Amino acid sequence: MNVPLNIDWQQILLHLLNFCILFGILYFFLYKPVKDFMEKREASYKKQHEDAESALKEAEQKRNEYEEKLAGAEAEIAAMKSEAGAKNAEERARMMEQTKTEAAAILESAKKRGEMEHDKIIAEAQREIADIVTTATEKIVLSADVSKSYDEFLKSAEGNVKNE
Amino acid sequence: MSKKKKVIPIVIFFVILIAIIVGIILLGKPAPRAESLSETMRDAVLHESMKVSLFGLKDVNPGLISAFAVTAILGVFAIICRIFVIPRFKEIPGKFQLVLESVVGIFRGMAKGNSPEKNKVLSAYIFTAGAYIFVGTLFELFGFQAVSTSGASIPLPAPLADINGAIAMGCGSYLFILIGGIANNGFHGLLGTIKEFSLPLSMSFRLFGALLSGALVTELVYYSMYLSFVLPVIVGVLFTLLHALIQAYVLTLLVSIFYGEVSEKKLEKGKRKKKNKEKNNINTNTMTPEVSK
């Protein structure tokens, strides 16, 4: 068969065979190992990226949680503060009341004591006056001199006053 | 003084150079050629006379020998890489590792970009095809010699400058697309591939034409001795390096585009309508609040 351009089917097949062999060699010895290596590296980088992403997400979540907790804690602190304030005021009021009653009691007792003292002094004075009066009357009766005895009475009364 | 001192040796050097060149041109008798220019050109296309014996089994075009040589070179390179380089790959790549990774990455990216659904085999295929075309085209630059059946020494051409190699590459790629279409899409894939019946022809002859033209121009330039100073640098770079890159890129891109088209899952009509409806719903939903505002 005379084909134009000297095309030789056998040689074409030989070229094809050659190319197939080349394909096999290049695929198994060069292309596949390089591709596998690249894919492995890509996968490892992807994994790293994903890990980092998930870690970031977790951290974000935790931060949110803590922020919420912090906000809760602040509210709690405020509540505690107000409660403590209320308790304090109550305590103060109670103590004020107590001191007031105590002061009133002290005052009462002081008053009582003062009155007692006062009564005692008056009683003593009365007794002394009675004594003076008795002595004076005794003297007057004994001397019978009215004016003199009157003077003496005055004198003795004066002296008593001075002594006191 | 110092400037003059510097200039003088340079001038002398160039004078000697020119004298030698003139001497070569005037005195040299061109060596007797194995074939005339027209024969050389014709043979570059048809390979009628300059055949190479393949282990004594068959007389083949030198392109086939080049193809085997390229496979051997790439195979040795791959095995060396597998044994010495790849086990020492690091997380942060070194220079050579970076080169390997970026080459693999380029083809993977191309496969993924053009065929988003199925691209595992495709990326391996275009990696091999790209490497084969690139290295095969550069192979021409080294000018490895082979002995033809007539006893003359011929430089090995690029494997794809041989029409058999180009057809093998083009039809092989078409076959690969066909298999991919059937495997991923069944009957639809088969029809989709057959629809592009001109693809093997266009792919084969694109490769063949591009590489052969480079080979022919190079051959033409090298045939005449007067043109073999300086000019081959430009010609070599233009028709070899650029071709290597461009052809590798074009074929791999074409294969991945067609593969992607053929292996793409076709949505059934009902499903498509439903999808469109959903889309419209979404659009109206998103539109209404704006309108009400």
Side-chain angles (χ1 to χ4, degrees):
Chain A
M1 194 169 70
N2 200 6
V3 189
L5 284 172
N6 264 355
I7 293 169
D8 185 344
W9 300 110
Q10 205 175 11
Q11 284 192 41
I12 291 175
L13 282 182
L14 278 171
H15 270 287
L16 269 179
L17 174 76
N18 174 55
F19 186 77
C20 287
I21 292 167
L22 181 67
F23 179 81
I25 292 173
L26 279 192
Y27 182 72
F28 284 111
F29 288 112
L30 194 61
Y31 181 77
K32 197 165 176 279
V34 173
K35 191 195 75 175
D36 284 352
F37 179 82
M38 283 165 81
E39 269 173 1
K40 219 163 84 188
R41 187 176 49 192
E42 207 179 302
S44 85
Y45 277 136
K46 213 176 205 174
K47 195 173 163 281
Q48 268 181 29
H49 180 76
E50 271 167 13
D51 284 356
E53 198 113 290
S54 69
L56 200 71
K57 217 178 233 176
E58 209 172 295
E60 193 103 324
Q61 202 182 332
K62 262 194 184 152
R63 203 189 68 172
N64 283 343
E65 231 167 72
Y66 284 137
E67 265 176 8
E68 263 170 35
K69 264 188 193 169
L70 213 62
E74 266 170 14
E76 210 170 301
I77 286 169
M80 269 164 95
K81 246 188 196 167
S82 68
E83 198 182 324
K87 235 182 210 174
N88 226 0
E90 204 176 293
E91 185 82 356
R92 211 185 301 155
R94 201 173 60 78
M95 272 170 95
M96 200 78 120
E97 195 69 22
Q98 200 177 343
T99 25
K100 260 185 193 166
T101 48
E102 262 172 26
I106 288 167
L107 214 64
E108 190 73 15
S109 73
K111 236 185 208 169
K112 262 184 191 165
R113 211 181 292 163
E115 262 170 22
M116 267 165 74
E117 201 91 342
H118 179 251
D119 286 355
K120 212 168 116 186
I121 287 166
I122 284 177
E124 218 160 276
Q126 273 175 349
R127 205 180 53 215
E128 262 174 29
I129 288 166
D131 276 357
I132 290 164
V133 169
T134 44
T135 47
T137 40
E138 267 173 12
K139 269 178 184 173
I140 291 162
V141 171
L142 286 175
S143 62
D145 194 349
V146 177
S147 62
K148 210 180 166 183
S149 39
Y150 188 70
D151 284 344
E152 265 181 20
F153 169 70
L154 283 176
K155 260 183 199 169
S156 68
E158 238 170 77
N160 250 349
V161 170
K162 263 180 194 171
N163 277 341
E164 267 185 27
Chain B
M1 270 303 264
S2 59
K3 262 192 182 177
K4 266 189 185 172
K5 264 186 185 174
K6 268 184 189 171
V7 169
I8 290 168
I10 295 171
V11 171
I12 291 171
F13 174 73
F14 274 105
V15 167
I16 291 171
L17 216 64
I18 289 164
I20 292 171
I21 290 167
V22 170
I24 290 167
I25 293 167
L26 291 181
L27 302 177
K29 271 183 198 166
R33 293 197 178 268
E35 26 182 25
S36 69
L37 179 59
S38 61
E39 268 177 352
T40 309
M41 303 296 267
R42 189 182 156 79
D43 203 52
V45 185
L46 298 176
H47 300 287
E48 274 166 340
S49 59
M50 288 295 191
K51 297 240 180 203
V52 179
S53 173
L54 179 70
F55 309 121
L57 296 172
K58 180 182 160 64
D59 289 349
V60 295
N61 297 351
L64 188 61
I65 306 295
S66 307
F68 289 153
V70 169
T71 300
I73 291 169
L74 276 172
V76 168
F77 174 75
I79 290 167
I80 287 173
C81 280
R82 182 72 192 88
I83 294 170
F84 294 110
V85 182
I86 290 170
R88 282 182 224 163
F89 267 14
K90 283 170 201 151
E91 197 84 334
I92 296 152
K95 272 177 195 164
F96 187 63
Q97 187 187 343
L98 199 64
V99 170
L100 284 182
E101 279 187 14
S102 37
V103 171
V104 170
I106 285 168
F107 287 114
R108 278 183 82 198
M110 194 190 266
K112 266 183 197 169
N114 290 309
S115 172
E117 287 177 22
K118 304 269 178 184
N119 50 40
K120 269 189 185 162
V121 191
L122 173 68
S123 58
Y125 181 84
I126 61 172
F127 174 77
T128 310
Y132 178 64
I133 296 170
F134 184 73
V135 176
T137 312
L138 283 187
F139 180 75
E140 194 184 35
L141 264 188
F142 295 103
F144 291 114
Q145 300 286 314
V147 180
S148 72
T149 44
S150 61
S153 164
I154 44 166
L156 286 177
L160 294 166
D162 178 5
I163 192 162
N164 297 322
I167 288 175
M169 194 73 227
C171 293
S173 298
Y174 183 74
L175 236 109
F176 173 74
I177 293 168
L178 185 74
I179 292 168
I182 293 169
N184 294 320
N185 236 350
F187 191 61
H188 281 287
L190 179 71
L191 285 184
T193 319
I194 287 172
K195 203 172 70 186
E196 310 286 349
F197 61 89
S198 66
L199 198 61
L201 212 66
S202 71
M203 275 205 287
S204 305
F205 282 87
R206 178 180 294 110
L207 273 174
F208 178 58
L211 290 165
L212 184 72
S213 66
L216 282 181
V217 172
T218 319
E219 194 107 26
L220 194 64
V221 167
Y222 288 162
Y223 191 83
S224 160
M225 194 175 58
Y226 306 109
L227 292 175
S228 43
F229 302 97
V230 184
L231 197 62
V233 177
I234 301 159
V235 171
V237 168
L238 269 184
F239 289 94
T240 313
L241 273 175
L242 286 180
H243 262 150
L245 273 177
I246 294 167
Q247 291 311 317
Y249 178 70
V250 167
L251 186 111
T252 52
L253 188 68
L254 277 177
V255 169
S256 50
I257 286 172
F258 281 107
Y259 187 92
E261 201 172 283
V262 161
S263 66
E264 187 185 26
K265 282 267 177 288
K266 294 271 184 292
L267 285 174
E268 309 224 340
K269 275 188 180 173
K271 272 187 189 172
R272 194 177 280 176
K273 266 186 188 169
K274 218 178 180 182
K275 240 187 181 178
N276 283 343
K277 235 183 189 177
E278 273 169 18
K279 251 186 194 172
N280 288 339
N281 279 342
I282 289 163
N283 283 342
T284 47
N285 283 342
T286 49
M287 282 298 284
T288 39
E290 280 170 24
V291 171
S292 63
K293 269 177 195 172

